[in-house]
Amino acid sequence: MIQIQQEDFSMGAEYDALRTQASGDGAIVTFTGLVREFNDDASVSSMFIEHYPGMTEKSLMNICNQAKQRWNLGQIKIIHRVGMLEACEQIVFVGVTSRHRNDAFTAAQFIMDHLKNDAPLWKKEGNPKAMKWVATKASDKAALANWSK
């Protein structure tokens, strides 16, 4: 399931929902990303995230389908927030269930690497002086390239 929303989410509630739906899976792996207070040696006090409704959900569903083709997975849940967020707020949740932990860990990493590079989400970071668009990092591109090897 994919959710794009402005509202915060409860990691505990999302984990509980995955556990309820896991139906025999032995592993649940979750990742929660936060708005960092720094980037490129500069302070960050806020982040504004834009998306293209419909296109973003379709892109994230495609990423989930790719993960399901590669690993034996049960449930996948992605929540990504949009709008204005303050430093240290939750920005993204990825939860994956599987019969075995390795599939769940690996799929969660795959999903995050593809989300960071492929999902149509645009970010502006702010500090007291200005807002600036955030470009894809070389480290994110390198992480994505590892999946095609």
Side-chain angles (χ1 to χ4, degrees):
M1 178 192 264
I2 309 297
Q3 288 177 232
I4 307 297
Q5 62 192 46
Q6 290 186 349
E7 306 81 30
D8 198 4
F9 54 87
S10 165
M11 189 179 142
E14 295 305 330
Y15 171 85
D16 289 343
L18 282 170
R19 186 169 180 186
T20 299
Q21 300 165 2
S23 93
D25 286 343
I28 301 173
V29 170
T30 65
F31 170 80
T32 304
L34 307 175
V35 177
R36 291 181 301 197
E37 293 181 291
F38 62 91
N39 192 15
D40 297 332
D41 298 325
S43 68
V44 174
S45 58
S46 64
M47 178 178 282
F48 183 76
I49 304 168
E50 294 183 11
H51 80 295
Y52 193 94
M55 182 185 290
T56 305
E57 293 86 346
K58 184 177 178 180
S59 174
L60 294 175
M61 187 58 70
N62 182 44
I63 293 166
C64 291
N65 290 337
Q66 288 178 54
K68 284 188 171 193
Q69 289 173 1
R70 293 178 79 146
W71 297 282
N72 183 11
L73 305 177
Q75 302 296 313
I76 300 175
K77 175 79 178 261
I78 299 174
I79 301 172
H80 205 295
R81 295 181 64 200
V82 294
M84 185 61 77
L85 303 173
E86 299 300 319
C88 301
E89 283 193 68
Q90 297 180 127
I91 184 172
V92 63
F93 173 89
V94 172
V96 179
T97 73
S98 180
R99 292 181 181 256
H100 303 285
R101 71 179 181 268
N102 190 52
D103 284 356
F105 275 113
T106 308
Q109 182 71 49
F110 174 91
I111 290 166
M112 274 308 303
D113 288 344
H114 280 77
L115 183 154
K116 292 280 289 182
N117 285 278
D118 298 337
L121 295 157
W122 301 277
K123 300 173 184 177
K124 272 187 181 178
E125 289 179 339
N127 61 40
K129 295 180 183 178
M131 296 285 288
K132 69 173 187 168
W133 289 105
V134 179
T136 303
K137 295 182 177 190
S139 59
D140 291 332
K141 290 179 184 180
L144 184 64
N146 286 331
W147 294 107
S148 60
K149 292 181 181 176

